[in-house]
Amino acid sequence: MDLTKDAEAAQSALRTMWTIRRFEEAVDDLFGRGLMHGTMHLSIGQEAVPTGACLALADGDYITSTHRGHGHCIAKGAKLDRMMAELLAKETGYCRGRGGSMHIADVATGNLGANGIVAGGVPIAAGAGLAVRMRRQPHAVLSFFGDGAVNEGAWHEGVNLAAIWDLPVVFVCENNHYGMSMAVNKAFRVERLAERAKAYGIPGVTVDGNDPQAVHDAVAEAVERARAGRGPSLIEAVTYRWKGHSKSDKNLYRSREEIDSWRERDPITLFEAAVLGSGTLAEAELERCRDEARDAVRDAIRTANAAPDAAADELASAVYAGGPS
Amino acid sequence: MDLTKDAEAAQSALRTMWTIRRFEEAVDDLFGRGLMHGTMHLSIGQEAVPTGACLALADGDYITSTHRGHGHCIAKGAKLDRMMAELLAKETGYCRGRGGSMHIADVATGNLGANGIVAGGVPIAAGAGLAVRMRRQPHAVLSFFGDGAVNEGAWHEGVNLAAIWDLPVVFVCENNHYGMSMAVNKAFRVERLAERAKAYGIPGVTVDGNDPQAVHDAVAEAVERARAGRGPSLIEAVTYRWKGHSKSDKNLYRSREEIDSWRERDPITLFEAAVLGSGTLAEAELERCRDEARDAVRDAIRTANAAPDAAADELASAVYAGGPS
Amino acid sequence: MTSTVDTVRELTYAEAIREALAQAMEADERVFLFGEDVGIYGGAFGVTGDLVHRFGTERVRDTPISELGIVGAAVGAALAGMRPIVEIQFSDFTAQAMDQIANQAAKIHFMLGGAAEVPMVLRAPGGSGTGAAAQHSQSLEAWFAHVPGLKVVMPATVADAKGLLLAAIDDPNPVVVLEHKLLYKQSGQVPADSGRVPLGEAAIRREGTDLTMVATGVMVSRALEAADQLAADGISATVVDPRTLKPLDSGSIVDAVVATGRALLVQEAPRSGGFMAEVAALIGDSPAFGYLRAPIRRLCGLDVPIPYAPQLERAAVPQVPDIVAEATRLVREW
Amino acid sequence: MTSTVDTVRELTYAEAIREALAQAMEADERVFLFGEDVGIYGGAFGVTGDLVHRFGTERVRDTPISELGIVGAAVGAALAGMRPIVEIQFSDFTAQAMDQIANQAAKIHFMLGGAAEVPMVLRAPGGSGTGAAAQHSQSLEAWFAHVPGLKVVMPATVADAKGLLLAAIDDPNPVVVLEHKLLYKQSGQVPADSGRVPLGEAAIRREGTDLTMVATGVMVSRALEAADQLAADGISATVVDPRTLKPLDSGSIVDAVVATGRALLVQEAPRSGGFMAEVAALIGDSPAFGYLRAPIRRLCGLDVPIPYAPQLERAAVPQVPDIVAEATRLVREW
Ligand SMILES: Cc1ncc(C[n+]2csc(CCOP(=O)(O)OP(=O)(O)O)c2C)c(N)n1
Ligand SMILES: Cc1ncc(C[n+]2csc(CCOP(=O)(O)OP(=O)(O)O)c2C)c(N)n1
Ligand SMILES: [Mg+2]
Ligand SMILES: [Mg+2]
């Protein structure tokens, strides 16, 4: 699928990227004004990765996500109002206010959950892949994780299981150059994280994570491979987060210039230029995508705000499935 | 050092290999006769690895060892009687009867311990390497582990830490083709485990683990590199264990023929043939090495048997260093 | 599963577990086993035995040595519609997998607001007595019983080994089944077909009047043996086996203590922070409080790692004479 | 460390920890810190702050995200003569490192027959109240207190944050220091030079006559606040802060309960199998048993993962009014 040539695909990609951007900006704003609780990990600047990746997925496919998971959740098809309700600690939130940002998920669209544990979703993805395989389903599983996750034992074990059993899993590393403050070049002694794939005998590629097309193509190929029973792949999508790691971040570990240089490579701006340049979409259509995204996020906030707060009275009975025990 | 050309080195290597062999045979016998407790993991057939490796080490260097650790302990210079006393649950044992086979260690010779946890010693070796580095000592740390350990998260994390910090650690994989019953070709999707080294940006080599010279040369080079501050290396020594994994093993996962083919590649027989062939040692000298090993093990059993049993009365006070608390 | 009359046969604890596994796999294709050496090797303790020949290598699946990955894969498989049963070779290695057990499996149902379930079983043998030393002999039930979202069972009899496991497999939550190495070869009566033992119900193994002993795992049979000896000495003991530690059948325990006025709580695990502390605490804040004629006593493993030497290993955990002595003291002195 | 008069200043809990770290590093070159983001970032909670500028990147060392490797490296460094201090960013992630904590660090001295020591400190913040949800808010002290070979401290005041940490660094054993996120910004008096607080000594934070409250972590200040309110209501409470959970100063707790006849045990962690179960058990089998005028009551976190929503999070753990209410009930009804 050529996102810059196919008008429908281009609009879809653009709308998703703008929706993520606007959603994250709204969260940033609500949080800054003390209307949101906890901590938030925003994915502004990284929108092309979930967007390009999820465009290569089909219904029934699964994803596992991370602490920086709003974009994954949106790109996989979740409803904005239920996401916003979750962050606003409402009863109508996806997790009924129990999970919040770090556990947000629309299970119905195949999102097995954001995860507060770095690399926590990686072996879970392998297991979902095993289930798909054993149930002879045609689905693929896509596991998102950051560069920082790659040095966790869970990552190593999860990727190896998927590799030796030829499981239909696509491992997508969002390499945004830092695991919190730890620079990739200090945490690794390899140039490209995709090189790690060889250790498990699976293909590994590095793509421009600010280009939804590049991400899409790599994921589409890996998904095809997965569905064909030829096992997992590792895709390293190189990108950058504009905002601090979370609210406590003073950005001491990186320079203003570095941040600025990446802002100049804004995935949305670049993509808009590409689709405009190729004549696929006109400025008015871009404008409509932007407006739709803005309105959708505004609506979501409105709907979420009107919902009842999550109720504390059922807490204890919510721990176990199948009724209280 | 050319073990097959230098008479002293040849004798040393041969004596160590025979000592390990005789020690393990004695343990097998004592265990079989119900005189030894617990479980035992014997390294018969793998003697060339610790022998060749430890000949490349110097005083002050550390090792970490495994559940199959008698050979490592012997090759690093431990006293046989105190080892035997440990296995016989005596007060004079290295661990005062508290550790047994899976925790055997002569800390004074730099052995930081056998480990009942697969891959448990790998991050510990990285940490010892960090200490050596921070204390500006000239030492190296050698970590022994099996093929099975390589898929553990602990291995991944430990090797990466050593790699990114250029620590003086040599990772020696005793690839005996199985992690218990799990064949290497089922547990990995790579041909050679040494290929994993690339994922951490460190050198990796595969050597004949039944040839003490090959092991020695690879380790010596890695140790030199480590001491020079150029970081860790991974060495895969391909070998085979003749006996079952432990006493519960019925050898269902491998064939008689496979075992026999490896017995024909007995590292001791091959080495004896080499030193005899090159004229470095005469048959009488080989015989002396064998006799010395046999006698040393016999003496160790005698001494150990005469020692008092480990005493239960001080158990509770043995948990914390620095006196009871 | 076509017979209608439920025949009772003599099986070992290991065989009873294997039978439960086989029946669950026959009844439900979503059920499968995986873990280290569960296939051709038949399990480090021989529990899975010939199951790989009966169900194939897909459903009785050998794994590399990677406990965290294994449990994580079970979580993922459960989320995606399977009913995985994981064997961790020694319960000590749950330490490797603790994130996936406690932070993922236990919490996902709650964290996702009920939108997902994690129906999985984690079997692992605990306990000392085999000379396997400190890293292969722990009794870690207290760790799991402290994690909301997990259910925890400790079968102490052959029938329960089958019955509790079947109930655990049925349960829509993650259940940790802590078996005991010393029990694997013990024999006992087991119903052939059903025999499910509901989670959350204690068993009163013996009824008496002078004191109540609460014991778990291998301590159940030791407490029963002690009770026999005590009876010969004129002391009449109730023995309660909680069977499920979480959710705990506190009612049965409290009732038994009300009836006898004395409680002796026996566990193999080290005393400090062990599961019997919870039992003591609940008795001390229950209706039984008013009936207590003596302090609530615990007889536990020493606060030491399990040593290798057989004489040290024995000294580290309660033996039958220790139970008899402690029970006698409690009854005679109070 | 040249001044002779010990000046007392006002610091925050985080600053007090930082001061202890700095003083220990100045005094002993073997002491060094490592962990995720402890360097230039200054620690996720700002505890290490500017230490990297004062001691350099060798001794204040950033690590990749690999908790098991980090703790394992600390074990190895300790065995090879260093005195490592590890920061685990949230105590929840000790689950990742549990093998190296419980199976290695805790047991090596014993397993090797005393031939080696593992002098290391593992610092980690626990507790809820920041909206970080189930995987970032646990109170896991009970896990560690159940592992022979570990020492465990929970500083509840600013002075103890420094004093206990200094003692932990001096100790030749692995010590787990569980800090509390909500306390980091709290201020208090701290001695500039020394101020070591020996491990194993409880603090009687307040003395009363009607009941004894035992509380840990952030519950200490809540219990004290509750005690103030209770006093206004004519109820006089003792508040005991164990400070060190292992080895536990059981004598001070028992004495306090003997003196008041009632015990209310307050913890943030979920009730089942929590540390206060151990405290209840030891009171119930101590000389205090004969002095008890009321059941031994626990007021604990609910048996639920910590939820995200602030209103749910508050409901999940004891708050001051809950303590007041429970204490009142205990005194008025018994
Ligand atoms: C096991 C674990 N360790 C540490 C943390 C704390 N933490 C949360 S996010 C983060 C950085 C993750 O980096 P990366 O994987 O690159 O993802 P990014 O934040 O860059 O998207 C850290 C250290 C955690 N949540 N889980
Ligand atoms: C963490 C952990 N998992 C599993 C085991 C059980 N176990 C002991 S040795 C072993 C096989 C190890 O294989 P390998 O590392 O190749 O060493 P080898 O036995 O072949 O020398 C297993 C599974 C263990 N001791 N520790
Ligand atoms: Mg990152
Ligand atoms: Mg092997």
Side-chain angles (χ1 to χ4, degrees), chain A residues 149-157 160 162-167 182 186-190 195-196 198-202 225 230-232, chain B residues 149-157 160 162-167 182 186-190 195-196 198-202 225 230-232:
Chain A
V150 177
N151 284 322
E152 278 281 5
W155 186 89
H156 177 68
E157 299 187 13
N160 190 58
I164 60 167
W165 293 335
D166 283 335
L167 301 179
M182 185 69 169
K186 288 187 188 152
F188 292 84
R189 212 179 163 170
V190 285
E195 292 177 44
R196 289 254 167 119
K198 289 197 206 87
Y200 310 93
I202 62 173
R225 190 183 167 86
R230 291 192 295 128
Chain B
V150 176
N151 283 323
E152 278 281 5
W155 186 88
H156 177 67
E157 299 188 14
N160 190 56
I164 59 167
W165 292 335
D166 282 336
L167 301 179
M182 185 68 169
K186 288 188 189 153
F188 293 85
R189 212 180 162 168
V190 284
E195 292 178 42
R196 289 252 168 120
K198 289 198 207 87
Y200 310 93
I202 63 172
R225 187 182 170 87
R230 293 192 293 129

Side-chain angles (χ1 to χ4, degrees), chain D residues 74 83 129 133 158 221 238 265 297:
Chain D
R83 297 233 160 205
V158 178
S221 47
T238 291
L265 316 178
R297 184 134 303 162

